[in-house]
Amino acid sequence: MVDHDLLDHRLADVGIQGIARNWLCSFISGRGQRVALGREMSSRHSLVCGVPQGAILSPMLFNIFMRPLAQIIRSFGLGCHQYADDIQLYLLMDGHTDSAPNTLTRCLEAVAGWFRGSRLKLNPSKTEVLWLGWDGMGMRDQLPSLAGAQLVPLPSVKSLGVILDASLSMEAQVTATAKATFFHLRRIKQLVPYLSRPNLATVIHATVISRLDYCNSLYAGLPLKLSQKLQRVQNAAVRLLTGSLPWEHIHPVLFKLHWLPVEYRIRFKVLLLTFKALHGLAPSYLRDRLSWYAPRRASRSINSNTLVVPGPKEVRLASTRARVFSTLAPVWWNALPHETRALQDLISFRRACKTELFRLAFGLEPI
């Protein structure tokens, strides 16, 4: 659906000129397609839109084509995240829950107009609304329409494979993850007689552990009953891999495999995000949540590489303080040894951080 003429203009808007622009235009122009059915082949049809599927340049060209949309959304004061063709709008209501503000209505009208002008099809039926922090179902008749379709708040939505509800409890996501991983474990169990242990470990990591680790930083600070669901999945995967019996204690087996328990895998992910945010390797909205500690008077702590932990005035709700990145990240970061916090290389930090968490998880003496 990417119009070639419009893409040419937007390449110029971002400063791509001369030979580079001509080269990119020649990359997408002059292409065609035909349909094969058995031995029959249709005539060639020239393509005047679209970017080649599977080409390395195609995602970049698509992002350049979609770039003006984020600028339009932010001009109305709304936040915006874009993941390829998945667009998310964020609006802070500041406690006014009686109706959606006119800003949202005008923004959606501008978005629909931009799609028409860009010769793209906007599908309102796939648009979902999540009202965070309040029972938004009462806003059913207060939300604006999008391209003629009335928007309706939903109890939960899926964002990049993660199920989010209005209270961000993550209960639905944890339940879905546990269900999917146990399903794969039952399927893998049938392969145990035919796979060597290294190959079995590869399959378990690819189908089970990867699902436990996906976006697991969102599980930080969850109630014990939810984190235990995830730990039971890891325990079952470990027993399947090692053949250990159900009544055997799982900690020694995890130690032998050098696997961090789920609780520490979550902490490891948050610390990695913290390191990346502090060193310009993560989105700016994460970096904005962190502040270096600077004592009022010169002291030895001035070079300790510690972060400010927000107090009750900054984060008032106790439930939020237990889970929010701006609180958990500084607390866990400051608990790391000074030598680990001082590292500047990501690979070195990963290694040192995992070693420290492994020591904490299994009660080992510091080296």
Side-chain angles (χ1 to χ4, degrees):
M1 299 297 293
V2 175
D3 185 273
H4 291 172
D5 292 334
L6 289 175
L7 178 59
D8 183 25
H9 289 295
R10 289 173 188 174
L11 288 172
D13 290 340
V14 298
I16 300 177
Q17 300 285 357
I19 296 177
R21 181 180 168 191
N22 294 335
W23 185 84
L24 289 172
C25 290
S26 68
F27 171 72
I28 59 175
S29 63
R31 295 182 177 272
Q33 67 180 13
R34 53 177 65 182
V35 178
L37 180 61
R39 296 183 179 181
E40 300 296 325
M41 182 78 71
S42 70
S43 58
R44 186 178 183 275
H45 178 74
S46 297
L47 295 176
V48 295
C49 61
V51 290
Q53 293 288 323
I56 294 176
L57 288 174
S58 297
M60 180 195 69
L61 294 174
F62 182 78
N63 288 336
I64 291 175
F65 188 82
M66 297 294 292
R67 185 172 179 266
L69 179 58
Q71 298 171 341
I72 292 174
I73 294 171
R74 294 190 178 105
S75 69
F76 287 92
L78 276 73
C80 174
H81 286 167
Q82 290 179 274
Y83 310 92
D85 60 345
D86 188 346
I87 304 165
Q88 299 179 357
L89 278 64
Y90 301 86
L91 175 63
L92 179 63
M93 295 292 289
D94 288 329
H96 303 294
T97 56
D98 51 346
S99 64
N102 293 330
T103 304
L104 178 60
T105 302
R106 290 187 282 110
C107 179
L108 293 179
E109 290 174 352
V111 167
W114 183 86
F115 268 84
R116 289 192 298 268
S118 299
R119 302 170 190 171
L120 296 173
K121 179 176 175 57
L122 180 62
N123 192 346
S125 63
K126 291 186 177 181
T127 300
E128 299 176 324
V129 178
L130 181 65
W131 201 283
L132 295 172
W134 185 73
D135 184 10
M137 303 309 291
M139 298 291 298
R140 183 176 294 273
D141 299 325
Q142 304 295 331
L143 291 176
S145 60
L146 176 63
Q150 180 65 40
L151 297 179
V152 178
L154 299 175
S156 64
V157 300
K158 182 174 283 190
S159 175
L160 300 178
V162 177
I163 302 174
L164 302 174
D165 56 52
S167 60
L168 296 179
S169 68
M170 303 305 295
E171 185 170 358
Q173 169 64 17
V174 170
T175 301
T177 300
K179 182 179 179 180
T181 47
F182 274 124
F183 168 79
H184 285 288
L185 283 173
R186 289 192 295 270
R187 299 291 297 271
I188 296 170
K189 189 175 182 179
Q190 301 173 11
L191 301 176
V192 171
Y194 309 101
L195 294 177
S196 65
R197 181 164 169 173
N199 290 336
L200 181 61
T202 300
V203 174
I204 289 175
H205 275 288
T207 59
V208 177
I209 304 303
S210 63
R211 282 179 167 83
L212 288 181
D213 289 343
Y214 179 70
C215 291
N216 64 344
S217 58
L218 297 175
Y219 302 147
L222 284 183
L224 185 60
K225 67 174 185 178
L226 293 181
S227 59
Q228 283 180 338
K229 277 188 177 182
L230 300 174
Q231 187 59 57
R232 283 195 289 269
V233 173
Q234 189 189 45
N235 294 350
V238 168
R239 297 189 193 281
L240 182 62
L241 176 60
T242 61
S244 56
L245 299 175
W247 54 83
E248 293 183 49
H249 193 45
I250 203 66
H251 245 55
V253 187
L254 286 171
F255 179 81
K256 187 176 180 180
L257 290 175
H258 212 269
W259 286 14
L260 286 173
V262 168
E263 174 189 354
Y264 290 91
R265 298 178 83 92
I266 295 170
R267 189 166 176 174
F268 178 66
K269 181 67 72 64
V270 172
L271 287 170
L272 280 185
L273 287 174
T274 306
F275 179 90
K276 291 180 179 180
L278 294 173
H279 292 81
L281 304 174
S284 58
Y285 57 80
L286 290 180
R287 180 63 183 89
D288 294 341
R289 300 293 184 272
L290 304 173
S291 300
W292 290 112
Y293 171 71
R296 296 178 180 178
R297 294 181 299 175
S299 63
R300 288 182 298 177
S301 62
I302 195 169
N303 295 320
S304 60
N305 291 319
T306 56
L307 297 172
V308 176
V309 180
K313 291 184 179 180
E314 290 84 1
V315 185
R316 297 181 180 180
L317 296 177
S319 58
T320 303
R321 285 200 300 272
R323 295 184 55 193
V324 70
F325 177 80
S326 58
T327 300
L328 270 182
V331 170
W332 286 346
W333 175 268
N334 295 346
L336 290 173
H338 173 72
E339 297 77 11
T340 304
R341 298 196 305 268
L343 293 172
Q344 300 295 315
D345 176 63
L346 178 59
I347 296 177
S348 301
F349 178 81
R350 284 174 60 97
R351 186 183 300 113
C353 183
K354 186 174 182 181
T355 300
E356 174 64 15
L357 293 179
F358 192 81
R359 183 187 69 79
L360 293 175
F362 297 101
L364 303 178
E365 293 295 329
I367 300 176

